[in-house]
Amino acid sequence: MKVSYNWLKDYLDVNLSWEKVSEILTDIGLEVEGEEQTESIKGGLKGLVIGEVTFKDRHPGADRLSITKVNIGREEELSIVCGAPNVAQGQKVVVATIGTELYPNEGDSFKIKKGKIRGEVSEGMICAEDEIGIGTSHDGIMVLPNEVKIGTPASEFFNVEKDTIFEIGLTPNRSDATSQLGVAKDLAAALKINYNHSGFVKVPSVDSFKVNNQNLPFEVVVENTGACPRYSGVTIEGVTIGESPEWLKKRLRSLGIALKNNVVDITNFILHELGQPLHAFDADQIKGNKIIVKNLADQSSFKTLDEVDRKLNKEDLMICDGESNGLCIAGVFGGVHSGVKETTKNIFLESAHFNAISIRRTSNRHLLKTDAAKCYEKGSDPNICVFALKRAALLIQELAGGTISSDIIDIYPNKIENKKVDVKFSHVSRLIGDSLSKEEIRNILRAMEMEITHEDGDDFTVSVPTNKVDVTREADIIEEILRIYGLNKVAIPTQVKAALTYGLQPDPFKIRNIAGDYLASNGYNEMMAVSITESKYFKEILPIDENLLIYINNTSNMHLDIMRPSMLFSGLEAIQRNQNRRSSDLKLFEFGKTYLKDGEKYKEQEHLTLFVTGQRHPESWLNSDKEYVSFYTLKAFVNNVLKRLGINGYQESNSENEVFALGTKYHRGPSPLVEFGRVKGSLSKALDIKNPVFFADFNWDMILRSLKNHKIDFTELNKFPTSRRDLALVVDTQIKFNAVEAIAKKTGKKLLKSINLFDVFSDESKLGEGKKSYAISMIFEDKSKTLKDKEIEKVMNQMIQTFETKLGAIIRK
């Protein structure tokens, strides 16, 4: 946001340098991110001087050119070739000397050079008003009054005003500081508390406002009071549209605002002075002398000021005439037909308070980030509407003439009152970290126009003005007090206190790094997605109970409206983005949190997620086969992560999570450790992902709990040899390997070191219908001796017998 140093001085009776103002603004939380020295006229008219034409003759080579001599107060007069038709001897004119850079209204700047024009030397330029940026006329050179002294700098004659513009990094919550007057009030409070200033702010008066007649009455109907809690308006007839006076131009130019005409410039001035957007309509273009604030049908067409036909959403609030024709997108952008033009004689002036969420959504939907929309998005002050209306009406009468031709219309069915916030004096000192007396606290609040309505011992109640929409809690009140009190006044402790602390065991950070390092060393890239996402994913693509969703008021990205209940779509969005940039072979992992509503409480859970998609190996001449990742690619990494963390002794079962087309769950009783599998094609397709995606979701909270009492046991290497036995079993197709593994481990007990599935054979013509064959290898060892064959065979026979009885297995010989 831009703030003018000169504009601030208009409100405050204090003589401070711009450097000191910048320092104070930063101290009170309005951080100045940069300053720019400006002039009210671009270039400051540097190098331009007042001269007198002492000689004029026709150019011998061109009838339209004149050869002149100009006295600018130097020993020698300047020879200047001039093409203006109105140049004459004895005129006082504006001269651009050699080396001067001119900034015309249109086109690029250019520098004056000595040269020849049609063979005649020219040592400067006699200027028209549009050539130096102070007007629009190009009919001829500027002719100044005769009494102007020769040699006077043009900057002095035209009273070029220098200013310093502060670029303030205004946070989205600071609705009270969206105007020059709002910043001035904050500055005044700090000056009163810390610099013995009176704290007086010269707020413009509207006492002279009066209704002149009832010649142009209007009716206003607000159909959607939720989106428009307050709507005010007044009519002014007999205005003359023209150019704004120089003082108004200077104020608007200083903030980089384009000049239009006196009426539109006044509405822009009020927006930046008071933080209240206004809109001026050509009253003669409003059918039925009636304003209706309503929503139009979905996909209605409306042509805006930029002459773009826009399709309206049913939620877009519109300002319409008596026949429900759109005049303006409320609080965002005007229409092409109803705006103020040179021919406008009568106007309807609007000052309204619109719902911030409604305006934000419309602004984002149509990509219209106007100054008015930005102001409404932060939350305008509903109780300044009529004051701003009167202020603008008085300025219009002063600068454009006209008479107030109706009573002020003010539709305000449910008045928005000041919020009441309960605070404790003791909490103020505790949170600030410094001891503030009750009187200091009272003075600071009074300086910010925040009234204490009730006080009882340590307790007091603050009435918060409606322009401070972000101040709703005790902590907010204390923050406001601290801003004005001064962060730099909070004492730095002279003692350093220390205490022994014991970290969590296991160390969550260390465990996270172990898993992350393993994955990164195996080709995975860590991703970091935001914890907010789009609700449409969980309404349309993967529906869940809406009562579980945690909605947020996101002022910057309206579509990101919930805390993510699952990390799945974060990864799918990353895959989609990479795929669209020709990178489709991906291995990603993310540590993050999910959020769900649990009745009146909220559930926050840590996760580790893995995503694999595309080809298994990078493209290479050594790898001619384009093998794609599969369920077992992901399973291997899931197993290795658990193994690397030292987690074992878990059960395996089918995952019933509707995310997966094929999924597995590792768990301990009812508590899941990880679920993984192939993501349903419908979910991938919804994000236009072409390749199958495999997804693993570790319950990281459960992982850490599993490691809480985890101990690492070290054993010496076995000095006795191992023995291997292979076995082929024909089983029903629904029998999983983990059932075979569980029986083997239970039967083999301490002698069975490991078991491995090295082949799966499926051929019903050879094995029979509904049958498959597992080929497994088993390694046996005894750490105290060399195993004998008969000992191994005894265990093998027990296993075979159990396989046959419990699994119905047939041992292939």
Side-chain angles (χ1 to χ4, degrees), residues 729-736 760-774 803-804 806-812:
L729 305 88
V730 177
V731 295
D732 293 338
T733 53
Q734 70 267 23
I735 301 295
K736 290 191 173 183
V760 179
F761 178 69
S762 298
D763 187 342
E764 291 189 351
S765 64
K766 296 180 179 179
L767 300 176
E769 185 178 353
K771 298 293 184 179
K772 63 182 176 182
S773 174
Y774 284 145
F803 290 149
E804 291 174 338
K806 290 195 174 184
L807 302 180
I810 300 173
I811 309 302
R812 296 177 66 193

Side-chain angles (χ1 to χ4, degrees), residues 520-533:
S521 65
N522 281 274
Y524 277 78
N525 289 299
E526 184 171 9
M527 58 172 280
M528 295 177 66
V530 293
S531 294
I532 51 180
T533 188

Side-chain angles (χ1 to χ4, degrees), residues 30 148 296 332 419 529 549:
L30 298 172
V148 182
L296 295 180
V332 178
K419 294 184 291 291
L549 300 179

Side-chain angles (χ1 to χ4, degrees), residues 762-788:
S762 298
D763 187 342
E764 291 189 351
S765 64
K766 296 180 179 179
L767 300 176
E769 185 178 353
K771 298 293 184 179
K772 63 182 176 182
S773 174
Y774 284 145
I776 61 175
S777 64
M778 292 174 282
I779 304 297
F780 294 89
E781 71 171 7
D782 188 328
K783 297 179 181 180
S784 63
K785 63 181 179 180
T786 301
L787 282 173
K788 296 180 181 180

